[in-house]
Amino acid sequence: MEADIKKGHFIHSIIREDVKNNKNDGKVVTRFPPEPNGFLHIGHAKSICLNFKMAQKFNGTCNLRFDDSNPAKEKQIYIDSIKSTVNWLGFEFNSPLFASDYFDKLYHFAIALINKGKAYVCSLTADEIREYRGTLTQTGNDSPFRKRSVEENLDLFTRMKNGEFDEGEHTLRAKIDMESPNINLRDPIIYRVKKASHPRTGDQWCIYPMYDFTHCISDALEGITHSLCSLEFEDHRPLYDWILDELETPCHPQQIEFARMNINFTVLSKRKLQRLVEDNHVEGWDDPRLPTLEGMKRRGYTPESIRNFCEIIGVSKKGSRIDMGLLESCLRDDLNEKSPRVMGVLKPLKVTIENYPDDTSEELIGKNHPQKEEMGTRTISFSKQIYVEQDDFMEDAPKKFFRLSIGREVRLRYAYLITCKDVIKDESGKVIELICTYDPKTKGGNAPDGRKVKGTIHWVDANDCIDAKVNLYDRLFKDENPEQDKQDLIENLNPDSLEELKSCKLEKHLVNAVPEYVYQFERLGYFCLDSRQASKDHFVFNRTVTLRDAWAKFLKKR
RNA sequence: UGGGGCGUCGUCAAGUGGUAAGACACAGGGUUUUGAUCCCUGCAUUCAGAGGUUCGAGUCCUCUCGCCCCAGCCA
C-alpha cells in the first residue's frame, strides 16, 4: 500500500490530492453515464473500470446514470443490456439513476436561468442558428431574440413545455458570448422541443434538456466529486462550469478529461459498429468478432481479463492505438489460470492402430490442468480408432517437425507412443487415414526403456467422442487501422474473420459444457460453448483465442 | 488559418530538476507428456526538433514541427 502512494495515473493523483486536502470532505463520488442508445463496447469498459475503481480505492461510490435526455435515440433494451453488462464486468451499483428523473428539477433550473437574465427563448430556425453561430475562425452574431424580456421568455418557455409549439420553432439558449473563441459558449441551446415518447417518462414532456445542461446539473444533484469524461468534452468544460456557477446547485463537481481507447484491427464507435450490424456484415450486436462487451462475453472473454486489460493500458490524455495483442495476452493470462484442459480435434484425420485389440477400449487418466493438481483429473476413452489433427501429419516432414510422418514416433497425450507405418489416400491423393502401431509398454506416455519422444499430440477416441461445429474467429479487419487512407470500413473487412469447421470431434467430457465456461483444447486454444448456435443435441464451440504458437511463428519466418 | 489538447522504445506507459520503471511485442537460451505455461537474458547514451537557464533538464523558458478535437435543436 505504501509503495502504492506515488503510483497511478494522473486522475488517480488528482483525486488522491483532493482526498488528502479534504476537498469534498474527503469523499469521492464518480459516475458512469452512458446514453442508452446502443450496446456497450470495450471502450466503455475503460470508463467503467476507471470510475468504479477510483470510487473503490477511496471508499467512495460510483453511480450508474443513464444520460437519457434524447428520446429520439434511446430504448429500454439498451438500458437493460447496459445494466447487465456493467454487472457482468463485476461492478455493483445502487439502483441505476436516470437523468430523466431530474427533468422536473432541470426545468426549474432553466427557469432560474431565465429569471437571472442568463437564458432566452430563441425563435431562429436551425439554419439561422448555425449562421449566427459563426465559424471556427469567425465570431458569431447575437440572435435578434437575445434581448427578449424575462417575462416573455418565461411565457414562451412555459408554452414550449405545454406543447404549444412544433419542433424547431423555438429553443431555449444560454446567454453567454457570441464572440467567444470557444464555439460551445456562443449561446448554446439548452432546451429543445421534441415531440417524442421517452422510454421512461413517456409523453410527459415535449421539451428535453441538452447534454451540456443536463450533465453538469445531474452530476451536481448526485454529489459527484469527480466527473470523468473523454477528451472531446474538454471544450465543454467552460460551459459545464458556467452553468454550475450561475445556478445554485448542491455542489460543483470537477470535470476531468482522459483519452478514449482505440485498438488496432477493430473499430470502437457506436456509429461504425452499428453499420456493421445493420448491414449484416456480422451476425448481430453480440457477434463474437465485435468488440462489444456482449460479443466478447459470447466469445469467452472473462470480466477479469477485461478489467486487467483496462488496468494495464493506463489512463492518459494521449491519443493512442492499443495493440490487439495486448488484449489477447490479458485474456490468455487469465484463461491459462482457470481453464480446464481437454482434447478436441478440429480437422480430423482417422488413425487405426493395427496392433491394438479390436472391440476393446480403455480408460486413461488426464490432468485437468498441468500445474494445478487441485483441478483434478478425468478419464479419457481410448480404442483402436482415434482421430488426430490433420496438421499433425506431414508426408515430407522437415527435421524439426515433431509430429507424425511415416516412420516417426509420437506420444498421444496421456495415452501411448505410436509410430506411423502407412497412409491411405483417396483417388485424389489426399491422405485420409493413417495406419499406426502402438507400444503397449508405454501406457500413460512414457517408454520403459527411457527413449525420448519429442512430440506429443492430442487425439480423441473415434468410438467415443462428440461431433461439433467450431467457429474460428480472426480479426474483423485486414488493416491495423481499418480506415487508413480514408478507405471504406467495409472494404477492409477480413473475409476470413470467421471460419466454420463443421466436423470436429471432441472429447466426451465436453457434453457438460455451458456457455461462457472456457476450456483449453490442448495445443489449440481456448474454446467455449456458443450461447446462440448450440442446442442440446448440437454442439457449437467458439474459439475464444488461440494459444501462443511458436511453431506457427517459426513457419512464418521461413 | 480561432479555440482546446497531445507528443518518452514497434505499442501502451511510469517519470513532478539529480542522471530513462514496468507491460505487450520482438530476439536468444533453459525446463516441459500442450512447439502452451513457467524461468532466465537482451531490447531508448535518449525523451518530436532547435536554442536557452542550471553544477545538473524528459522534467523550467523560448521558438519550430507534427498529430487529435470543436461550427448537432446528438451525447
Side-chain angles (χ1 to χ4, degrees), chain A residues 168-306:
Chain A
E169 266 190 86
H170 305 285
T171 55
L172 184 69
R173 295 230 251 165
K175 192 187 289 184
I176 307 181
D177 178 10
M178 289 307 290
E179 291 186 7
S180 172
N182 181 344
I183 294 184
N184 295 302
L185 262 19
R186 317 236 260 237
D187 290 9
I189 293 168
I190 57 178
Y191 259 94
R192 78 287 213 190
V193 175
K194 207 149 232 188
K195 304 214 165 161
S197 191
H198 187 283
R200 303 193 79 251
T201 60
D203 298 319
Q204 192 187 335
W205 295 89
C206 59
I207 54 170
Y208 291 92
M210 298 284 288
Y211 165 83
D212 287 306
F213 191 67
T214 311
H215 203 89
C216 56
I217 295 175
S218 300
D219 280 348
L221 291 174
E222 290 176 17
I224 300 299
T225 55
H226 302 268
S227 180
L228 315 180
C229 64
S230 45
L231 245 33
E232 66 266 34
F233 291 104
E234 217 150 14
D235 285 344
H236 294 243
R237 184 160 19 100
L239 179 52
Y240 184 105
D241 290 332
W242 183 90
I243 293 170
L244 294 183
D245 285 342
E246 293 295 338
L247 263 12
E248 284 180 37
T249 54
C251 64
H252 188 141
Q254 179 185 3
Q255 174 177 305
I256 306 169
E257 310 83 10
F258 62 93
R260 308 173 94 110
M261 169 197 298
N262 289 295
I263 301 180
N264 60 10
F265 294 105
T266 192
V267 289
L268 289 180
S269 98
K270 251 178 226 174
R271 217 198 80 251
K272 291 168 193 164
L273 290 170
Q274 189 163 28
R275 182 166 171 217
L276 296 174
V277 173
E278 285 176 358
D279 296 350
N280 296 312
H281 293 107
V282 292
E283 287 170 26
W285 282 99
D286 62 351
D287 188 299
R289 291 167 292 182
L290 252 23
T292 54
L293 293 171
E294 299 222 25
M296 294 171 76
K297 175 182 170 190
R298 184 174 156 201
R299 175 141 167 185
Y301 270 82
T302 58
E304 292 76 10
S305 66
I306 294 172

Side-chain angles (χ1 to χ4, degrees), chain A residues 119-134:
Chain A
Y120 62 97
V121 171
C122 181
S123 309
L124 252 24
T125 65
D127 285 343
E128 287 165 341
I129 284 182
R130 192 178 336 106
E131 279 165 31
Y132 274 84
R133 185 159 37 221

Side-chain angles (χ1 to χ4, degrees), chain A residues 97 124 131 257 299 321 360 365 370-371 403 410 536:
Chain A
L97 303 173
L124 252 24
E131 279 165 31
E257 310 83 10
R299 175 141 167 185
R321 180 159 230 98
T360 35
I365 308 294
Q371 281 85 227
R403 309 179 191 185
V410 300
K536 242 188 187 158

